[in-house]
Amino acid sequence: MMKTVTCTAPVNIAVIKYWGKRDETLILPLNDSISFTLSQDEMCAKTTISISPTFKEDKFWLNGKEESLENPRIQNCLKEVRRRASKRKHESGVEGTLNWHIHICSKNNFPTAAGLASSAAGYACLVYALGQVYGIEGDLSSVARQGSGSACRSIYGGLVQWYKGEEDDGTDSVAQSIAPPEHFPDLRVVICVANDGRKKTGSTIGMRRTVLTSRLMQYRIQESVISRTAAMKKAIKEKDWSKFCDLTMADSNEMHAVCQDTSPPCVYMNDTSHTVAALIHQYNDVKTTSGNVNHKVCYTFDAGPNACLFVPGAVVGELLGLLMRAFPPSPTQNTDTYITGIPIQP
Ligand code: 2P0
């Protein structure tokens, strides 16, 4: 006897960044964040979970390698799902499967821990699959949050807001959809991989250090990110693409400024990242009759050097041409997938 489910979950890219916690155990953030969940077809995690009375112990494989299940974050997710399941089984009187051991097999189809939101897709997928195995209904974002903060946003598609919440127990720190995936139609994401090695300072440690040492962070969480989040929600509601781009780049730049203001500094962007950002500003720098810049595309950088570009389909060819000219391929590289060491995945 065995029960098996397989799920996939895509990565999400934050346009208003989560950086800093007020509770490290429950993973409660210091500010709301907003993200775009990508489509299932590209960068995603895939998790298969089996439970069986014949399994002798719990086991976990990540990208083909057996890992310990002792990780407290995985244990917290497991405990919370089982707690909800046991409540439900008790209510419905159904015989539980909660004593069976569990085998979890997870895989990412993109580099793990390279600042490409792998933990977000991974934990969202794990929690969703656990929910399926144990027959849990209702919102799972507050469970995924306890695996990795950003994972709560990958539970939903399209544009998603993670509310920081006010309660100490985290019950109101949940993610909710704010617009469907097609809200900005024909939108593409281009990832410029400037370096796919593992990042220098993990997000969890980097955030902790920022909260402890950065004065600029106080300004961010008390003022600027609050007003920018409100402006972003308005831009989304009004489908104001140029404003969306402007705010996305501003928030990425502010997050990296607080990282730089951290002691010792957390430096995630490299020279290639800065060149890509400058190119995007150059590309956008066409004034409208009112003298404002009409932003056509935008960049955002997470805790790594790779640029994530949001690009309307109509200009994706032009933009890739520009990137090709800026980073001409070397003779040994496969130009289908590399632009001078920068694989581009439209
Ligand atoms: C985000 N990042 O909003 C921001 C932007 C990285 C930069 O969420 O400690 O891996 O597991 O809650 O979720 C990365 O942080 O950190 C992240 P934990 P997580 O996407």
Side-chain angles (χ1 to χ4, degrees), residues 174-188:
V174 295
Q176 278 175 18
S177 165
I178 53 173
E182 64 282 5
H183 186 73
F184 290 115
D186 195 23
L187 189 60
R188 311 285 188 86

Side-chain angles (χ1 to χ4, degrees), residues 10-30:
V11 306
N12 71 77
I13 309 285
V15 293
I16 298 289
K17 303 294 192 188
Y18 149 52
W19 195 256
K21 299 178 182 64
R22 64 178 200 276
D23 184 315
E24 293 216 356
T25 308
L26 290 170
I27 309 196
L28 301 178
L30 282 162

Side-chain angles (χ1 to χ4, degrees), residues 14 17-18 21 73 119 148-150 153 203-204 207 255 302:
K17 303 294 192 188
Y18 149 52
K21 299 178 182 64
R73 289 176 170 213
S119 65
S148 190
S150 52
R153 301 185 310 234
S203 305
T204 308
M207 286 183 201
M255 187 201 96
D302 283 339

Side-chain angles (χ1 to χ4, degrees), residues 11 51 63 199 223-224 228 277 280 297 325 327:
V11 306
I51 51 172
N63 294 321
K199 56 193 165 192
E223 290 183 42
S224 66
R228 194 177 297 115
I280 297 300
V297 300
R325 277 200 298 283
F327 302 99

